[in-house]
């Protein structure tokens, strides 16, 4: 999906683009863009839920102004990994760690959702900065949505063009691994896998294999 985010004072707003299944044990893969005061950078908030459990946040600044033009935000989701990418550069990889007891979203079909909502109880500086409604309406723009996916109908899955499409086994090559390290070194501002205050009893098991 290509997005252009709310310009100006967007504090308190969240622009979201995500995959989600239904039910109390849902799976979800999130891109959320946390608004900010004019001149302060947006925060790109990512999360992965499996069987209703999330708390796997990584947050990033972007290396461009996401309100000035459209940029492409992509999700690769296959049985082995989830990769979040911005303009073709991976920023996060969440690997399947079922072998060490970490649930991975692979058994439930998910739909695409997008929204723009008021989250001023937490979105900007932990809720300290509220939405300034004198700036309404707040507008985010979406365009050029594309999906190459397996579609579930009547309980059966069919994949477009092939029973074994290339993305089903896709992984990061050396160049993309370098881009991933670059983004995480220079633009990651929060990683749940290094938040020792949040996990005083020890980090989640997938953090050790990341």
């Amino acid at each position: 999906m290509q997005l252009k985010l709310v310009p100006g004072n967007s504090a308190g707003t969240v622009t979201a683009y995500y995959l989600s299944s239904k039910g109390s044990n849902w799976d979800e893969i999130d891109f959320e863009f946390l608004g900010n005061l004019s001149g302060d950078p947006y925060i790109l908030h990512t999360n992965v839920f499996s069987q209703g459990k999330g708390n796997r946040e990584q947050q990033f600044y972007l290396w461009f102004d996401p309100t000035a033009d459209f940029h492409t935000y992509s999700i690769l989701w296959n049985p082995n990994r989830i990769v979040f990418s911005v303009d073709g550069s991976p920023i996060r990889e969440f690997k399947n760690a079922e072998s060490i007891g970490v649930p991975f979203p692979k058994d439930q079909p998910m739909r695409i959702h997008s929204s723009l909502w008021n989250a001023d109880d937490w979105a900007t500086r932990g809720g300290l900065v509220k939405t300034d409604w004198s700036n309404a309406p707040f507008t985010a723009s979406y365009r050029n949505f594309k999906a190459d996916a397996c579609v579930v109908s009547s309980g059966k899955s069919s994949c477009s063009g092939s029973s074994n499409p290339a993305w089903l086994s896709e992984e990061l090559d050396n160049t993309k691994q370098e881009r991933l390290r670059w983004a995480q070194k220079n633009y990651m501002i929060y990683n749940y896998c290094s938040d020792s205050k949040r996990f005083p009893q020890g980090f989640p098991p997938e953090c050790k294999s990341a």
Side-chain angles (χ1 to χ4, degrees), residues 41 47 56 61 75 96-97 107 120 122 124 137 145 184:
N47 204 352
R56 300 186 179 102
Y61 287 143
I75 295 167
N96 184 327
D107 298 318
D120 68 4
W122 68 274
T124 306
F145 170 67
Q184 296 201 335

Side-chain angles (χ1 to χ4, degrees), residues 81-98:
R81 58 186 40 82
I82 296 163
V83 179
F84 298 79
S85 297
V86 177
D87 288 338
S89 289
I91 61 168
R92 177 178 186 179
E93 180 180 32
F94 183 83
K95 295 180 180 177
N96 184 327
E98 288 179 306

Side-chain angles (χ1 to χ4, degrees), residues 178-192:
E178 286 179 15
R179 293 294 292 177
L180 176 67
R181 287 191 289 268
W182 171 81
Q184 296 201 335
K185 178 183 177 183
N186 293 292
Y187 293 98
M188 183 189 288
I189 59 170
Y190 177 80
N191 181 5
Y192 77 107

Side-chain angles (χ1 to χ4, degrees), residues 6-76:
V6 177
N9 181 358
S10 58
T13 69
V14 172
T15 305
Y17 160 53
Y18 61 102
L19 291 162
S20 182
S21 64
K22 295 179 177 180
S24 58
N25 292 315
W26 78 99
D27 296 337
E28 186 172 320
I29 303 170
D30 291 338
F31 271 119
E32 293 184 302
F33 302 87
L34 312 186
N36 217 329
L37 296 168
S38 299
D40 290 342
Y42 259 86
I43 292 174
L44 170 51
H45 177 99
T46 66
N47 204 352
V48 175
F49 287 75
S50 49
Q51 298 179 17
K53 181 183 180 298
N55 300 325
R56 300 186 179 102
E57 301 91 346
Q58 288 184 359
Q59 295 183 336
F60 303 83
Y61 287 143
L62 294 164
W63 48 94
F64 52 82
D65 178 359
T67 72
D69 204 351
F70 285 91
H71 291 268
T72 303
Y73 303 90
S74 308
I75 295 167
L76 167 68

